[in-house]
Amino acid sequence: MFAIVDCDNCYVSCERVFRPDLNGQPVVVLSNNDGCVVARSNEAKQMGIKAGTPYFQLKELFPGKKIHVFSSNYELYGEITERVMSLVRKASPQFFRYSIDEGFCDLHGMEHLDLKQWGEDLATLIRRATAMPVSIGIAPTKTLAKMGSHFAKKYPGYRHCCFIKTDEQREKALALYPVDEVWGIGRRYTTRLQAVGVHTAADFAHLSRTWVRQTFNIVAERTWRELNGEDCVPLEDMSKKQTICTSRSFPGMVSDLQTLRTSVSNFAARCAEKLRRQHSVAQIVSVFLDTNHFRNDLPQYWNMAEVRFPTATNNTQQIVEAAYRCTEQIFRQGYQYKKAGCIVMGICNENEVQTSFLDYNPQQREKLSRLDEALDNINRLFGSETIVLGSQQYTAPNGKGKANVFKDSIKHDFRSPCYTTRWCDIPEAM
């Protein structure tokens, strides 16, 4: 059996930990630079606030409504969710964190216990210890467990834990679950599936396995097998991201190439750091640029370019240099850019790299690896971005020298205090 523990409305719930007065009220959390809504409380969802709604439209769409707005505070969210996951680690034999608000548990060896009661007790413990609400799904496969967590979140009668144990329960759950919400299907295949009459997870599970494999790919076939009760998603692979994206909307409009290249260099460096953190390498680096589509008075433009490495890498210099080239390739003069981002793809384990005879230089790779290790150690000890590449630095306002002001350029007018990580933000009891 497997379990997934998922924090309910994670960002909103983290804000409510130190603001219990917000319980029962509509609350939203905005994306970087206070651009659009990325998290909503249940009350905000019931009002009709959609994910992705631009912040400036909230007053226009919901006049007279009191909506509590927060800027993203990832420092706070990361620390609180780590407290949640530490409790889950202690309660399960084997734990793999999947994202900031989700973690999978391997419950093999616990079959003799009442797992439904175990899940309810764990949810109660987490709520008491951290004030965070969670939903838990338990099932023979990870895909079914994820489905169960959605039912636990939607229906209070499950008491925060849905256990899909028997085939009868599995079939009933599949029939009630929309196919576009199935983990591993989503929007990619939904349109094609609905065109052939597949609207629920049960419809998909009842298709021919051969047809699924031939029509889609091995990933879709694996989802089909999981829905039919066969565990086949490697748990070890789930703690590693298969695609890493770092992107951001700019506080204002950007029209010059140098500022764009500097921003993209920062994004690329962060992607490289994330790759090393999970001991992975990437084969492809991609960069995109986008204008502000809410400004109908301005010309619109979007483009993307990618560079493929002969040998997969996680070296900051190589990834930043590739992102640099992509930016220069797709930049067009005369546009006001609002957003840019860097994506690394083709990710695999750093110990499973397929090298190329054309560029393989073991001495150079070892040198770059030692340099990255030194850079990571210094930034870990003295703070993020203590040492950066020259291409990551912005020109100082006085024009003299360089200054890395990337963090300070982020707009967060509604950011809450970092209650648990900064001495100056520790709450005071009155």
Side-chain angles (χ1 to χ4, degrees):
M1 288 292 176
F2 299 93
I4 182 170
V5 180
D6 183 8
C7 298
D8 297 345
N9 304 325
C10 181
Y11 295 171
V12 169
S13 296
C14 288
E15 296 290 352
R16 284 173 164 173
V17 167
F18 293 94
R19 290 288 307 275
D21 58 301
L22 298 179
N23 289 328
Q25 300 189 43
V27 180
V28 299
V29 176
L30 305 177
S31 61
N32 289 317
N33 287 314
D34 296 341
C36 58
V37 174
V38 294
R40 304 158 293 159
S41 66
N42 290 334
E43 296 77 14
K45 294 175 183 177
Q46 291 168 3
M47 284 177 57
I49 299 177
K50 305 291 185 183
T53 301
Y55 165 66
F56 70 86
Q57 290 185 357
L58 288 179
K59 289 184 179 180
E60 175 186 336
L61 295 174
F62 305 96
K65 300 291 185 180
K66 176 62 176 177
I67 303 172
H68 299 272
V69 178
F70 290 90
S71 302
S72 296
N73 187 344
Y74 298 114
E75 186 175 340
L76 175 68
Y77 308 155
E79 207 279 333
I80 291 180
T81 55
E82 176 55 34
R83 295 187 182 195
V84 173
M85 298 308 166
S86 67
L87 293 173
V88 182
R89 286 189 189 95
K90 295 177 182 178
S92 59
Q94 196 173 18
F95 173 80
F96 293 85
R97 189 163 185 174
Y98 181 62
S99 65
I100 188 173
D101 62 344
E102 291 177 293
F104 280 92
C105 305
D106 186 341
L107 303 182
H108 287 97
M110 297 178 60
E111 290 81 2
H112 62 287
L113 300 177
D114 183 344
L115 293 179
K116 178 70 166 67
Q117 189 62 50
W118 173 85
E120 292 180 10
D121 291 344
L122 178 59
T124 300
L125 171 65
I126 292 171
R127 187 62 181 261
R128 288 176 177 173
T130 67
M132 287 288 289
V134 299
S135 296
I136 300 174
I138 304 175
T141 74
K142 305 167 196 68
T143 304
L144 289 172
K146 197 166 179 66
M147 185 183 300
S149 71
H150 289 182
F151 285 119
K153 185 177 299 187
K154 187 174 182 179
Y155 301 107
Y158 282 111
R159 297 173 55 85
H160 305 287
C161 178
C162 175
F163 185 12
I164 302 175
K165 183 178 182 180
T166 66
D167 283 339
E168 182 181 355
Q169 292 171 335
R170 178 177 62 83
E171 288 289 347
K172 183 177 180 180
L174 293 175
L176 294 172
Y177 206 73
V179 70
D180 61 328
E181 294 186 15
V182 174
W183 187 42
I185 294 180
R187 299 177 182 176
R188 292 181 298 171
Y189 307 136
T190 297
T191 302
R192 294 168 66 185
L193 287 170
Q194 290 179 342
V196 295
V198 175
H199 300 283
T200 67
D203 294 334
F204 181 75
H206 295 156
L207 293 171
S208 163
R209 174 176 173 177
T210 303
W211 183 88
V212 172
R213 175 67 176 270
Q214 293 177 345
T215 306
F216 300 103
N217 54 30
I218 191 172
V219 177
E221 180 196 5
R222 190 167 63 179
T223 299
W224 181 92
R225 292 164 59 191
E226 287 259 326
L227 293 178
N228 282 285
E230 180 184 353
D231 172 43
C232 57
V233 176
L235 197 56
E236 294 80 4
D237 293 347
M238 299 176 61
S239 59
K240 294 185 178 182
K241 297 180 179 179
Q242 302 304 306
T243 300
I244 295 175
C245 175
T246 302
S247 64
R248 186 148 297 157
S249 295
F250 304 122
M253 309 294 267
V254 176
S255 58
D256 63 291
L257 176 59
Q258 181 56 42
T259 301
L260 281 174
R261 287 191 303 192
T262 306
S263 297
V264 171
S265 294
N266 277 282
F267 301 151
R270 293 182 180 183
C271 287
E273 182 182 355
K274 292 176 183 179
L275 283 170
R276 293 194 295 273
R277 195 179 302 154
Q278 68 174 29
H279 304 290
S280 298
V281 291
Q283 189 84 47
I284 303 169
V285 173
S286 178
V287 170
F288 68 86
L289 301 178
D290 199 3
T291 54
N292 188 346
H293 297 285
F294 294 102
R295 290 289 302 273
N296 296 324
D297 57 319
L298 296 175
Q300 301 299 318
Y301 173 74
W302 180 93
N303 206 347
M304 174 180 279
E306 67 177 39
V307 169
R308 184 180 293 268
F309 297 113
T311 301
T313 182
N314 58 18
N315 173 249
T316 295
Q317 292 184 52
Q318 293 177 325
I319 291 176
V320 168
E321 194 274 335
Y324 218 77
R325 283 159 37 204
C326 290
T327 307
E328 292 181 326
Q329 179 181 339
I330 60 178
F331 173 78
R332 298 292 183 272
Q333 196 71 45
Y335 291 97
Q336 300 285 324
Y337 295 96
K338 184 60 178 176
K339 187 174 184 179
C342 179
I343 307 170
V344 292
M345 299 172 285
I347 295 175
C348 65
N349 192 293
E350 63 182 358
N351 297 321
E352 301 173 357
V353 178
Q354 179 65 48
T355 58
S356 168
F357 288 112
L358 298 178
D359 78 327
Y360 184 59
N361 186 330
Q363 291 79 20
Q364 179 68 7
R365 288 180 66 86
E366 177 63 24
K367 179 180 178 180
L368 292 175
S369 177
R370 291 200 305 269
L371 183 61
D372 281 330
E373 184 179 358
L375 185 146
D376 290 341
N377 287 336
I378 293 173
N379 287 335
R380 192 179 302 115
L381 286 172
F382 298 101
S384 176
E385 296 180 355
T386 299
I387 294 183
V388 298
L389 300 182
S391 62
Q392 293 178 249
Q393 295 181 314
Y394 291 82
T395 302
N398 59 13
K400 298 179 180 179
K402 302 285 183 177
N404 188 4
V405 297
F406 179 69
K407 288 183 177 179
D408 297 332
S409 68
I410 300 173
K411 182 180 179 181
H412 39 70
D413 293 341
F414 313 104
R415 185 173 179 176
S416 56
C418 297
Y419 301 100
T420 60
T421 56
R422 299 185 185 182
W423 288 106
C424 61
D425 288 345
I426 291 179
E428 298 180 4
M430 303 301 290

